[in-house]
Amino acid sequence: MGSASAISLCSHPKILLRPLTNKQRLQSQCQSQGSGSAWLGYRTQGVFLTPILPRRRRCLVVRAASAAEGGSRRPASARRVYRESQSASSLPVAPVKQLASFVVPAASFFAVTFVLWKLVEKILVPKRQRTSSVENKTPAEGMKWSFAAGSNLLTGFGAKIERESKLKLNDFAKELRSFRSVDLSGRNFGDEGLFFLSESLGYNQTAEEVSFAANGITGTGMKAFDGVLQSNIMLKTLNLSGNPIGDEGVKCLCDILVNNNGIQKLQLNSTDLGDEGAKAIAELLKNNSSLRALELNNNMIDYSGFTSLAGALVENNTIRNIHLNGNYGGALGANALAKGLEGNKSLRELHLHGNSIGDEGLAALMSGLSLHKGKLTLLDIGNNSFSAKGAFHVGGYVKKTKSLLWLNVYMNDIGDEGAENIADALKQNRTITTIDLGGNNIHAKGVTAIAEALKDNSVITFLELGYNPMGPDGVKALSEVLKFHGNIETLKLGWCQIGAKGAEFIADMLKYNTTIRVLDLRANGLRNEGASCLARSLKVVNEALSSLDLGFNEIRDDGAFAIAQALKANEDVTVTSLNLASNFLTKFGQSALTDARDHVYEMSEKEINIFF
């Protein structure tokens, strides 16, 4: 056979095939060796293609002859091959150089582009990793979720907070076991914290007063006291005010306290307590003989609740103080309570401030108190929307009572007529020491009647007449009496429109009065003129006055200078507290007062607290 095969001993690179030109077809029939390049021709469907090599490589090509050629023809064949190779090397190489100049940059461009693309792919497209057991976990396994603000905490951080909370609760528990009076109000430990702390009260022999006020405790938390308060006999005061306990929680607490013989004061102010809770407390009062003071202020107790409590007062003979301020008793509630008071012998203090009792309700209440067999010492009926008619009934009770010490009629509308009724009763009363008639629209006429009552009354030591438009005439009548009569120690005349003229009357009274220790003249428009009048009185020896309040009086530096000079001039001054806050003082007036204070201390070692 005349066929021959060519074996290349080098690895072939990637081959790009292109059609051959006519000259290249002729050259493709020979093989070239020695210059480092080889041309090979391939026939594909009648078209000769030439391989384009990106670079030259030295290859050894061995040509094997068939057996038919014989060994004698071998040299001739070798010479023929040599001549053909020499003729091929003499052919032009310009097309090859042009082709190489085009192919090499293009190949380099594609290679660089390929590398860059791989780099971008690695950066922008993350590798797909095998899923692990950690990735398959739900978010709930690694994080605590809550809709409460700020409570989406990692498990470790939540555990840290829980540990810190337990440490704080342990500290609270130590307080309960160490101190007689413990205030844990506003700590916001909730029901869970109460369950933890209640254990410290079981057989506690130390704590007598405990406040759990404003801690977010609900009705559920009251179950924490079950088995605890029954065994504790040392605890005397329990304060649960400001917690949303509600009626159900109060019922639970009352069931527990039935068998408690220690607690004497129970505070349940602002606990969302309504009529049902009041009924539960009424049942407690019927069976508990240790409770002395009960505070139910600022709840939602209506007529029905008042009726229940009134029924309990008939059967209970140990309760001393009841606080029902800020509820919804109204006239009907006052009427029901009056009936309960008739049969009660133990009550000493009755707080009914802000219940909208009105004139009719007040009339029924005063009737019940007049028949009360006990000794009531304090009556608070302020802010109850009654007028002079109601004051008439108050006056009737004041005349009869032999035990009342403290009377509050603050913020009603009794006017001059009502003031005259009460003044007439004060002439006969010899027990009341503290009376509050502030904010009752009393003018000069009513104040004059009260002043006349003080001529023969030396029992009253505290008189509040603030927020009444008495003006200079009213304060003049009062000052004339207090020069030499009465035994008033605290006189409050704030917001009474007395002006600088009224200050003159008060200054003149202070020269002679020997009992007034506390004088409140706030917001009366005294200005510099009024301050100067008072300063002249301070220069005179006064053995009683220790506190003077001149706030909100439009006093400027000149008035401050006058007061400062008075303090320096009187070596025996007894004033220890001087309030000039909310006036128009500059640093000069303040410096003058500071110098006067320092001077008094240097001369007599007496300290004066001055407020700017």
Side-chain angles (χ1 to χ4, degrees):
M1 294 177 62
S3 62
S5 63
I7 302 175
S8 175
L9 300 181
C10 66
S11 61
H12 293 280
K14 186 181 289 186
I15 299 174
L16 301 177
L17 302 181
R18 292 188 179 184
L20 295 174
T21 60
N22 293 331
K23 184 182 291 185
Q24 290 171 343
R25 289 194 188 97
L26 295 175
Q27 294 175 350
S28 64
Q29 297 176 1
C30 66
Q31 296 178 348
S32 177
Q33 183 179 4
S35 61
S37 62
W39 290 89
L40 300 177
Y42 296 90
R43 182 179 183 86
T44 304
Q45 295 181 355
V47 180
F48 282 91
L49 301 177
T50 179
I52 300 176
L53 303 178
R55 61 179 179 178
R56 297 179 181 180
R57 298 187 181 183
R58 299 184 65 86
C59 300
L60 176 63
V61 179
V62 180
R63 183 175 180 82
S66 63
E69 292 178 336
S72 61
R73 299 186 59 181
R74 191 166 196 154
S77 300
R79 286 193 296 268
R80 185 172 62 249
V81 171
Y82 175 76
R83 288 194 299 269
E84 290 175 354
S85 64
Q86 291 296 324
S87 63
S89 62
S90 63
L91 293 175
V93 296
V96 177
K97 291 182 178 180
Q98 293 177 356
L99 187 62
S101 65
F102 173 78
V103 172
V104 172
S108 301
F109 172 78
F110 284 114
V112 173
T113 304
F114 178 79
V115 173
L116 292 176
W117 171 252
K118 286 296 183 182
L119 290 174
V120 172
E121 183 180 14
K122 288 182 179 181
I123 295 173
L124 296 182
V125 182
K127 289 184 178 181
R128 184 177 180 182
Q129 300 177 351
R130 291 178 299 174
T131 59
S132 63
S133 59
V134 176
E135 292 175 344
N136 291 331
K137 290 181 179 180
T138 60
E141 294 176 345
M143 182 176 291
K144 292 182 179 180
W145 292 96
S146 173
F147 291 103
S151 60
N152 294 325
L153 305 175
L154 294 176
T155 305
F157 189 56
K160 179 180 179 182
I161 291 180
E162 185 175 356
R163 288 194 299 270
E164 292 178 353
S165 299
K166 288 183 178 179
L167 290 175
K168 290 182 179 179
L169 288 175
N170 284 326
D171 293 339
F172 299 160
K174 290 179 182 178
E175 290 186 39
L176 290 173
R177 293 190 293 267
S178 304
F179 300 102
R180 187 185 67 82
S181 179
V182 182
D183 184 2
L184 297 179
S185 61
R187 309 302 175 90
N188 200 31
F189 47 71
D191 293 335
E192 295 182 2
L194 184 61
F195 273 97
F196 181 87
L197 294 173
S198 62
E199 298 178 1
S200 300
L201 291 175
Y203 295 94
N204 191 304
Q205 298 296 316
T206 304
E208 296 182 7
E209 300 178 5
V210 176
S211 175
F212 291 135
N215 274 295
I217 301 170
T218 67
T220 303
M222 295 300 97
K223 299 177 182 178
F225 292 123
D226 192 13
V228 174
L229 296 181
Q230 292 94 330
S231 59
N232 187 306
I233 60 174
M234 289 298 296
L235 189 62
K236 300 295 187 295
T237 300
L238 178 61
N239 187 356
L240 293 169
S241 300
N243 291 297
I245 297 173
D247 288 339
E248 294 301 321
V250 171
K251 289 179 181 179
C252 178
L253 180 63
C254 290
D255 291 340
I256 296 171
L257 291 178
V258 168
N259 298 319
N260 176 273
N261 296 319
I263 293 179
Q264 299 179 2
K265 184 176 182 179
L266 179 62
Q267 296 170 281
L268 295 173
N269 306 312
S270 303
T271 54
D272 297 339
L273 172 64
D275 290 338
E276 293 300 319
K279 292 179 181 178
I281 292 175
E283 292 300 318
L284 172 65
L285 291 175
K286 293 178 181 179
N287 297 283
N288 183 290
S289 59
S290 63
L291 200 60
R292 299 291 185 271
L294 178 63
E295 295 186 10
L296 305 175
N297 299 324
N298 303 317
N299 282 295
M300 300 176 288
I301 304 175
D302 210 328
Y303 159 71
S304 178
F306 271 71
T307 302
S308 300
L309 293 172
L313 288 178
V314 177
E315 300 183 29
N316 185 289
N317 291 314
T318 58
I319 192 72
R320 297 288 187 271
N321 307 333
I322 290 184
H323 297 249
L324 291 167
N325 298 331
N327 281 283
Y328 302 92
L332 293 177
N335 190 21
L337 195 61
K339 295 179 180 179
L341 292 171
E342 293 180 9
N344 181 274
K345 299 179 181 180
S346 62
L347 196 64
R348 298 290 183 269
E349 296 183 10
L350 180 59
H351 300 259
L352 293 174
H353 191 100
N355 271 279
S356 302
I357 294 174
D359 291 330
E360 295 182 4
L362 193 63
L365 183 64
M366 294 301 107
S367 177
L369 287 175
S370 298
L371 298 174
H372 178 60
K373 298 177 182 180
K375 296 180 179 180
L376 193 71
T377 59
L378 186 150
L379 178 62
D380 183 357
I381 49 175
N383 193 22
N384 269 297
S385 306
F386 61 84
S387 63
K389 293 181 180 179
F392 173 79
H393 298 289
V394 173
Y397 172 68
V398 169
K399 291 178 181 179
K400 295 179 181 179
T401 181
K402 304 297 181 182
S403 60
L404 194 65
L405 303 175
W406 197 93
L407 176 63
N408 182 9
V409 194
Y410 185 76
M411 283 296 173
N412 286 288
D413 192 18
I414 65 174
D416 292 337
E417 183 181 352
E420 290 173 346
N421 290 328
I422 293 178
D424 184 58
L426 291 175
K427 292 179 181 180
Q428 302 179 39
N429 183 280
R430 291 296 181 268
T431 61
I432 295 177
T433 61
T434 300
I435 184 167
D436 189 342
L437 297 172
N440 270 286
N441 196 29
I442 302 173
H443 295 77
K445 182 180 179 182
V447 173
T448 302
I450 293 172
E452 289 295 322
L454 295 176
K455 283 184 177 181
D456 300 323
N457 188 317
S458 60
V459 179
I460 297 177
T461 58
F462 183 103
L463 178 60
E464 167 70 85
L465 288 172
Y467 300 95
N468 286 301
M470 65 179 70
D473 294 336
V475 78
K476 178 182 178 181
L478 185 63
S479 298
E480 289 295 328
V481 172
L482 294 180
K483 275 184 182 181
F484 306 106
H485 300 89
N487 192 29
I488 301 296
E489 296 179 0
T490 300
L491 179 61
K492 292 184 173 291
L493 299 174
W495 287 269
C496 286
Q497 304 175 15
I498 67 175
K501 187 65 175 177
E504 292 183 13
F505 300 125
I506 291 177
D508 185 53
M509 178 264 294
L510 290 176
K511 294 178 182 179
Y512 305 96
N513 182 278
T514 60
T515 62
I516 295 178
R517 300 180 183 277
V518 178
L519 179 60
D520 181 0
L521 298 175
R522 286 176 296 170
N524 274 294
L526 302 184
R527 302 176 181 266
N528 288 334
E529 296 82 358
S532 298
C533 291
L534 293 170
R536 288 193 291 270
S537 292
L538 292 177
K539 290 181 180 180
V540 181
V541 176
N542 189 302
E543 298 177 355
L545 187 63
S546 61
S547 176
L548 178 60
D549 195 339
L550 300 176
F552 301 95
N553 269 296
E554 305 174 32
I555 300 172
R556 301 180 183 273
D557 289 341
D558 290 342
F561 292 149
I563 294 175
Q565 291 300 319
L567 294 176
K568 290 181 179 180
N570 189 349
E571 296 181 358
D572 298 323
V573 66
T574 58
V575 174
T576 59
S577 176
L578 177 62
N579 181 24
L580 286 165
S582 302
N583 282 291
F584 301 143
L585 306 184
T586 67
K587 61 180 180 180
F588 300 107
Q590 295 175 3
S591 298
L593 291 168
T594 302
D595 292 340
R597 178 196 63 192
D598 296 340
H599 176 79
V600 171
Y601 183 76
E602 292 176 0
M603 297 300 295
S604 60
E605 295 186 355
K606 295 179 180 178
E607 293 185 0
I608 302 178
N609 296 316
I610 301 179
F611 305 96
F612 303 121

